[in-house]
Amino acid sequence: MSHLLEFDEVDKYFGDTHVLKQVSLDVDETEVCVVIGPSGSGKSTLLRCANRLEEIQGGEIRLDGVPLSDPDADINRLRQQIGMVFQSFNLFPHKTALENVTLAPLKVRGIDEDMANARGEELLEQVGLGAQMNSYPNQLSGGQQQRVAIARALAMDPKVMLFDEVTSALDPELVGEVLEVMRTLADDGMTMMVVTHEMGFAREVGDRIVLMADGSVVETGAPEQFFENPETERGKKFLSKLL
Ligand code: ADP
Ligand code: MG
């Protein structure tokens, strides 16, 4: 198995605050890596560094062996290969679902309009929105909007998808439909890094659980092992608080 995404002793500071402390973590091709941990532990920052929304101050992050900071690397190309979905969907309100999905491929990749539309329609079908392609965001539920956001990220044909608490802002009854789309993606072999509080999803869909606390990875393990028999005190404490 080759490592697709590698974090190698990554240090991140905000001013004097050390928020990622020597974080090392590998995500293999087709693996679903679920990152959990208390609020403020650095989960979002870790994902944002992987997409170079944040710069790191030490260590290295590599995609397919290429350092994101490589001066010879095409940073825009690298970034396109890393899809990201956030808690807030941030769709363009005056564009339809389909237009939201095709915008980046048309503008950034210069893909032909017919091809972009065909691919966009296919992706919206895939996330269960075949009937809503021409709807505007305010005509869609939160769960539907988040599924458009997932289709939009997929439209760039990323090698890895990063999900940061994508169901946290949704009404409880809409969480399942988004998790279902993510589960299907995982089953289809997408490499994913998922920050979530949905422990059922973590356990069932995750290949590996990564527990963060205070900017460090404190435990990693297979889901069964982690949830049934955590090795560290931090792991035990985190799980006890879920009950
Ligand atoms: P999590 O996603 O696990 O809740 P974050 O990655 O959002 O944690 O935050 C980790 C730490 O970094 C927190 O202490 C937070 O206050 C701090 N932090 C996050 N973003 C910024 C920022 N833009 N400027 C300063 N501090 C930040
Ligand atoms: Mg966060």
Side-chain angles (χ1 to χ4, degrees), residues 14 17 19 38-46 54 164-165:
F14 285 113
T17 319
V19 295
S39 173
S41 56
K43 306 179 299 296
S44 294
T45 304
L46 186 68
E54 302 286 354
D164 191 3
E165 297 197 24

Side-chain angles (χ1 to χ4, degrees), residues 34-53:
V34 177
V35 182
I36 60 178
S39 173
S41 56
K43 306 179 299 296
S44 294
T45 304
L46 186 68
L47 293 195
R48 290 170 61 81
C49 289
N51 203 14
R52 281 204 56 187
L53 291 169

Side-chain angles (χ1 to χ4, degrees), residues 131-181:
Q132 281 83 23
M133 297 198 195
N134 298 316
S135 300
Y136 288 88
N138 68 5
Q139 298 172 313
L140 299 172
S141 72
Q144 289 173 327
Q145 290 184 58
Q146 192 56 294
R147 286 185 281 146
V148 174
I150 293 173
R152 176 175 61 177
L154 291 171
M156 297 301 271
D157 289 322
K159 287 185 176 168
V160 55
M161 285 281 283
L162 312 177
F163 295 89
D164 191 3
E165 297 197 24
V166 297
T167 59
S168 295
L170 298 177
D171 291 336
E173 72 273 19
L174 302 177
V175 167
E177 65 193 56
V178 174
L179 294 180
E180 195 49 42
V181 164

